[in-house]
Amino acid sequence: MDSQVVGVLGGGQLGRMLVEAAHRLNIQVAILDGDNTPAKQINLVASDKHVTGSFANASDVKALASNCDVLTYEIEHVDTKVLEELDQEKPHVQGTKWSRIQPSWRTVRTIQDKFAQKQHFAKFGIATAKSIAVGTSHPQGLKEIADQIGYPFMLKSRTEAYDGRGNYPVKSVSEVEPALAALDNRPLYAEQWANFRMELAVMVIKKSQDASADSWESATIAYPAAETIHEDSICKLVYVPARGISSQIAQAAQNLARRAVSTFAGTGVFGVELFLLEDDSLVINEIAPRPHNSGHYTIEACHMSQYEAQIRAVLPNLASRFPEGCTDLAVPAVVMLNILGGPEPTSHLLIADAALDVAGAKVHLYGKGDGRPGRKMGHITLVGSSMSECETKMHSLIQLADAVRA
Ligand code: ATP
Ligand code: MG
Ligand code: MG
């Protein structure tokens, strides 16, 4: 399909699903991560091009670049300085004017600092929860910030955040000190509490390289608005179509997500997390410059998965090949349940095992070895002819997941 080799920084579960999509198109993918990480376990096609090491290490990133035509990501916590250097040395894919790093390292640099991301959105007039940088580890300094945004608020690490690790809800002034102690030594910002009535997520394909050249309508394509349910700041369930919202709100979420993504340079797939507030207005929570947990459902439920979309979007010969309707649902309804680790190393397998007896349930296990509490070990996608059918079939699996976590 394409002779170019796609290098991926990171080899976790998102990388594994990227590899699955690339295999079907016979496109070579090379992974930079530790040995035997989830993506490498199933990718023997380009195994001689894999690099053992870290996406946060400059020489390892250079080694991957020398094995590949295009570089992309499955995680945003990468070394962007070395990507900037590589971009200066050799900006384009051989014989083309196509940027070799997709999306741009500038995009990832902004997004990987969650406060810089908020400032970026402010610049473009895109609504987010009010945020203030915390330049001090002194409780008095944070109390003064709290006076501006009120209690409760969310104290957040600016960097290296995932699955809520880096968030501390501060409910009252007495929690200021424990919050600072819990996030000791991390760069911080404070975020006003969002009284949302629902969390939504929209996967967006950005197909035009240049953020400024196109309107958001021509540069982006949205997947449906998904309803996401988080527990302890970790995504637990995804429902598509989102339940109990009007088509106008779903459309507004898609449009806001597309506008937000169109402000970033480069091509690829982006995961946009939104809060739907009590007054039906929408604000952006955060954006990921890569496929996203809330988009796993696209594998079974959409004409083109977010993973295939990422592979297509970063390659010069395929990046414009997104036929009308490719992001549409191909089924009436779908629910995705994350399989998180429990108290025992194999607790999570109980959920996967039970799902084998549910017609329509697709089990994904990531090959991460031993489970730990809260670790994402796999997921189950259940498609059905109606949302109520999906809900009924998923019910016992959700109960089992709750029992495993308790
Ligand atoms: P991810 O794994 O999505 O990258 P993260 O560690 O970056 O997670 P956030 O997305 O910032 O964390 O927050 C995780 C969850 O915490 C949100 O999905 C939401 O449920 C809750 N949350 C975050 N910020 C706020 C806020 N300002 N007000 C209320 N709840 C919030
Ligand atoms: Mg995040
Ligand atoms: Mg998040």
Side-chain angles (χ1 to χ4, degrees):
M1 185 60 76
D2 198 291
S3 57
Q4 274 141 358
V5 180
V6 179
V8 181
L9 286 87
Q13 66 266 23
L14 300 170
R16 184 173 170 119
M17 289 178 267
L18 271 176
V19 167
E20 286 176 351
H23 273 180
R24 198 160 38 75
L25 296 173
N26 197 31
I27 289 169
Q28 292 186 74
V29 174
I31 305 289
L32 164 56
D33 210 334
D35 279 333
N36 210 36
T37 39
K40 285 188 186 173
Q41 289 169 20
I42 64 157
N43 188 11
L44 303 176
V45 178
S47 57
D48 58 324
K49 298 191 173 70
H50 293 330
V51 174
T52 301
S54 166
F55 40 79
N57 180 299
S59 58
D60 296 337
V61 175
K62 282 185 183 168
L64 182 73
S66 69
N67 289 353
C68 302
D69 300 288
V70 181
L71 289 179
T72 191
Y73 325 78
E74 64 105 55
I75 185 165
E76 59 274 27
H77 308 305
V78 301
D79 179 347
T80 59
K81 276 207 211 81
V82 67
L83 293 174
E84 182 177 3
E85 237 177 82
L86 287 166
D87 192 26
Q88 272 156 9
E89 270 166 29
K90 183 176 168 234
H92 299 129
V93 173
Q94 196 80 39
T96 72
K97 293 226 160 92
W98 188 256
S99 298
R100 180 160 73 125
I101 301 169
Q102 297 288 8
S104 163
W105 55 268
R106 289 185 181 84
T107 294
V108 177
R109 185 173 291 170
T110 303
I111 286 178
Q112 69 185 190
D113 177 337
K114 289 167 83 171
F115 184 68
Q117 202 190 120
K118 291 280 185 324
Q119 288 178 301
H120 172 92
F121 289 135
K123 199 169 84 187
F124 286 92
I126 289 169
T128 63
K130 184 174 177 186
S131 298
I132 300 178
V134 180
T136 168
S137 56
H138 205 274
Q140 189 51 37
L142 185 53
K143 284 176 193 167
E144 283 164 19
I145 288 171
D147 289 341
Q148 296 176 57
I149 54 175
Y151 293 95
F153 68 91
M154 193 71 99
L155 187 63
K156 292 192 179 185
S157 175
R158 292 173 63 146
T159 59
E160 303 290 330
Y162 70 100
D163 291 345
R165 297 170 211 206
N167 283 3
Y168 196 110
V170 185
K171 296 189 192 71
S172 66
V173 66
S174 65
E175 290 184 348
V176 163
E177 286 188 41
L180 285 169
L183 297 174
D184 189 26
N185 285 326
R186 299 181 75 167
L188 300 175
Y189 76 103
E191 202 176 289
Q192 192 166 46
W193 198 260
N195 277 320
F196 54 79
R197 77 172 171 93
M198 194 184 282
E199 287 191 76
L200 299 172
V202 180
M203 297 306 308
V204 175
I205 304 169
K206 181 153 183 291
K207 56 183 178 158
S208 162
Q209 291 198 76
D210 185 346
S212 60
D214 288 295
S215 69
W216 61 268
E217 279 110 333
S218 58
T220 60
I221 309 168
Y223 280 92
E227 171 188 354
T228 63
I229 295 182
H230 291 73
E231 225 170 69
D232 301 329
S233 285
I234 306 180
C235 178
K236 177 182 181 183
L237 283 156
V238 175
Y239 295 85
V240 193
R243 298 166 305 172
I245 62 166
S246 63
S247 57
Q248 287 88 335
I249 290 177
Q251 181 87 55
Q254 288 177 304
N255 289 350
L256 178 58
R258 290 175 69 184
R259 270 209 300 127
V261 167
S262 73
T263 64
F264 291 110
T267 62
V269 163
F270 292 72
V272 184
E273 301 176 15
L274 307 114
F275 297 137
L276 174 63
L277 304 179
E278 294 293 350
D279 65 356
D280 280 354
S281 64
L282 287 157
V283 298
I284 300 246
N285 171 26
E286 62 166 350
I287 289 201
R290 52 165 171 79
H292 192 261
N293 187 173
S294 66
H296 292 339
Y297 77 90
T298 61
I299 297 175
E300 287 88 359
C302 295
H303 294 303
M304 181 190 294
S305 78
Q306 63 166 345
Y307 301 100
E308 181 173 341
Q310 171 83 353
I311 296 288
R312 290 197 193 198
V314 301
L315 284 167
N317 300 333
L318 302 181
S320 60
R321 307 286 296 275
F322 293 103
E324 176 93 34
C326 66
T327 55
D328 288 353
L329 282 176
V331 294
V334 55
V335 181
M336 191 281 308
L337 171 69
N338 271 329
I339 300 178
L340 302 179
E344 305 296 330
T346 57
S347 301
H348 59 280
L349 294 178
L350 292 171
I351 309 162
D353 188 72
L356 295 178
D357 295 327
V358 180
K362 301 283 188 207
V363 179
H364 295 246
L365 288 170
Y366 305 148
K368 287 181 168 177
D370 286 350
R372 288 193 300 273
R375 189 175 190 212
K376 286 175 177 156
M377 302 305 291
H379 72 267
I380 296 161
T381 302
L382 209 157
V383 299
S385 53
S386 68
M387 184 53 86
S388 65
E389 180 196 331
C390 294
E391 286 172 319
T392 305
K393 286 185 167 176
M394 199 55 115
H395 183 70
S396 61
L397 298 175
I398 296 172
Q399 282 187 319
L400 191 56
D402 289 343
V404 165
R405 279 202 84 193

